[in-house]
Amino acid sequence: MRLIRRYPSSSSAFTMPNDRDPGVSAIIPARNEAAVIARAVESLERQPDIREIIVVDDQSEDQTPEILARLARQYSNLRMLRLENLPSGWLGKPHALAEGVKLATGDWLLFTDADTEHKPGSLASLLDRAEAEHAGFVSISPGQHMKTWWERAVIPLVYVQLARLYRFEDVSDPRSPAAAANGQYLLIRRGIYESIGGHEAVRNAVLEDVELAKRVKAAGVQIWFLPGAAWAETRMYQAFGDMWRGWTKNLFLLYGRSSGRVVKALFDLFLDWAPGALLIIFPLALLLGPWQSWLIYATAAAIVVFWMQQWSYKRRLERLGFSRGLANYFLLGAPLFGLLLLNSLRTYRLGGAVEWKGRTYSVKETS
């Protein structure tokens, strides 16, 4: 590991409204993030509660270091750390975040991704709510910026399914064992982070955010988890291949490494998708063949069931901050999501490898 530059925080970064100084250190892992890192840093710099922004450059091979150097000349509270190696037994993201914490001076740690843009006033709002809820661990599921048809078809559907697996109310309920978090935005008190072992305790976890949440909840700390489109937005994937690799890496783990849960999810997905598919098949059968009364009745039934399914899906989308119009992509998204689930199941069950950010990890070496 080599520290290439460290910038002291400006005195203005310590001045908070109403004399509040929670001392928030924002930590961003960055590996080949030239396309997005400036937006993330600039949106954090506009948050008055940020004491310092620490970007950990994890062996980037693109223009990320040069962009960070330029940003450092603009923002005196930006610190950069360049990593030169990945120790054995660690995955890249937990290692980068653990190293970033070593530079942090804040009482709160904000772990966020390089592709996440923070809306004005978002941190102050979430800190206020954390105080009101007596929460020591806050995570939101940011809004998703989507430009392509495959993003609009798959990503909202994935988040709707995950919201069924990890209900926000259950995760935030101290009486429920459910624990989850979204690593795109994770705010935790430093004392709590250190007491649960930090990222070293989850150093080989693909879902390090969820594993941290489990440890926090087991320690009796109040978690606050909620939809976060009002506070932050991200574009997760800019290429279809990245999306395929990303969800292959995560989905089977999000379903608790349970083949049974994956099979049930696929069956439920098929039941939701079938009425829409039949609305295409039945009318074609009526056009191409003799009219039969059962086909007319079946078409009418499919229309009713599909309308009900779409109505339910639109409500779930809206609750997560997505546009209701994205329900129109469901018939395309469901088969793609099913293939992603199957590929993730195959990868982990057959002892393969997952690839992310140019690194390949054997599934046997991850948790």
Side-chain angles (χ1 to χ4, degrees), residues 320-333:
L320 294 174
F322 291 106
S323 165
R324 293 170 66 93
L326 291 169
N328 297 329
Y329 290 88
F330 179 79
L331 288 179
L332 291 171

Side-chain angles (χ1 to χ4, degrees), residues 211-364:
E211 294 303 317
L212 281 177
K214 289 178 180 178
R215 288 176 169 271
V216 167
K217 199 156 197 182
V221 175
Q222 175 66 54
I223 291 179
W224 195 50
F225 185 43
L226 71 164
W231 295 290
E233 183 178 80
T234 184
R235 186 181 183 198
M236 294 181 66
Y237 308 112
Q238 300 189 36
F240 183 86
D242 289 339
M243 184 186 74
W244 185 264
R245 288 185 289 272
W247 288 123
T248 293
K249 171 175 67 76
N250 292 342
L251 281 176
F252 185 63
L253 302 181
L254 287 166
Y255 278 83
R257 295 180 177 264
S258 168
S259 300
R261 293 179 77 179
V262 170
V263 171
K264 182 181 184 304
L266 290 168
F267 180 71
D268 292 342
L269 189 68
F270 175 76
L271 292 181
D272 288 339
W273 177 79
L278 292 176
L279 279 179
I280 299 172
I281 296 171
F282 286 166
L284 283 175
L286 288 170
L287 287 172
L288 299 176
W291 280 50
Q292 299 183 41
S293 58
W294 73 268
L295 271 177
I296 297 173
Y297 294 135
T299 301
I303 290 172
V304 172
V305 174
F306 183 66
W307 180 88
M308 294 175 64
Q309 185 275 331
Q310 286 283 282
W311 178 79
S312 175
Y313 186 46
K314 288 177 180 178
R315 288 186 62 196
R316 293 176 183 273
L317 286 171
E318 192 170 47
R319 188 186 180 217
L320 294 174
F322 291 106
S323 165
R324 293 170 66 93
L326 291 169
N328 297 329
Y329 290 88
F330 179 79
L331 288 179
L332 291 171
L336 276 173
F337 176 66
L339 289 173
L340 282 166
L341 258 180
L342 285 171
N343 193 51
S344 188
L345 170 65
R346 177 194 63 81
T347 299
Y348 282 93
R349 280 302 183 210
L350 297 183
V354 291
E355 181 185 347
W356 190 241
K357 297 289 184 180
R359 288 181 175 135
T360 300
Y361 305 103
S362 168
V363 298
K364 296 179 180 179

Side-chain angles (χ1 to χ4, degrees), residues 80-250:
M80 296 190 304
L81 177 65
R82 170 79 179 186
L83 303 181
E84 298 293 358
N85 58 71
L86 179 62
S88 176
W90 285 81
L91 299 191
K93 186 175 181 180
H95 178 241
L97 293 172
E99 292 300 316
V101 170
K102 294 178 181 179
L103 294 184
T105 63
D107 297 324
W108 283 87
L109 303 173
L110 171 58
F111 300 111
T112 187
D113 286 351
D115 56 10
T116 300
E117 183 174 4
H118 302 255
K119 297 186 179 181
S122 57
L123 180 56
S125 175
L126 289 169
L127 284 168
D128 286 341
R129 294 198 174 203
E131 183 177 350
E133 298 289 335
H134 305 289
F137 182 100
V138 178
S139 185
I140 63 172
S141 186
Q144 300 294 320
H145 182 55
M146 299 163 289
K147 294 184 177 181
T148 64
W149 70 266
W150 46 266
E151 289 173 284
R152 297 185 182 108
V154 174
I155 290 176
L157 178 55
V158 170
Y159 276 96
V160 166
Q161 297 298 318
L162 293 179
R164 289 177 172 177
L165 283 174
Y166 304 97
R167 295 179 67 249
F168 294 106
E169 297 87 352
D170 292 342
V171 174
S172 300
D173 184 352
R175 297 166 296 180
S176 169
N182 186 322
Q184 293 164 346
Y185 197 110
L186 199 162
L187 184 64
I188 183 172
R189 287 189 182 275
R190 183 172 191 144
I192 294 170
Y193 173 83
E194 293 174 346
S195 72
I196 62 169
H199 280 91
E200 185 173 1
V202 296
R203 58 187 175 274
N204 66 338
V206 174
L207 300 179
E208 85 294 333
D209 46 4
V210 176
E211 294 303 317
L212 281 177
K214 289 178 180 178
R215 288 176 169 271
V216 167
K217 199 156 197 182
V221 175
Q222 175 66 54
I223 291 179
W224 195 50
F225 185 43
L226 71 164
W231 295 290
E233 183 178 80
T234 184
R235 186 181 183 198
M236 294 181 66
Y237 308 112
Q238 300 189 36
F240 183 86
D242 289 339
M243 184 186 74
W244 185 264
R245 288 185 289 272
W247 288 123
T248 293
K249 171 175 67 76
N250 292 342

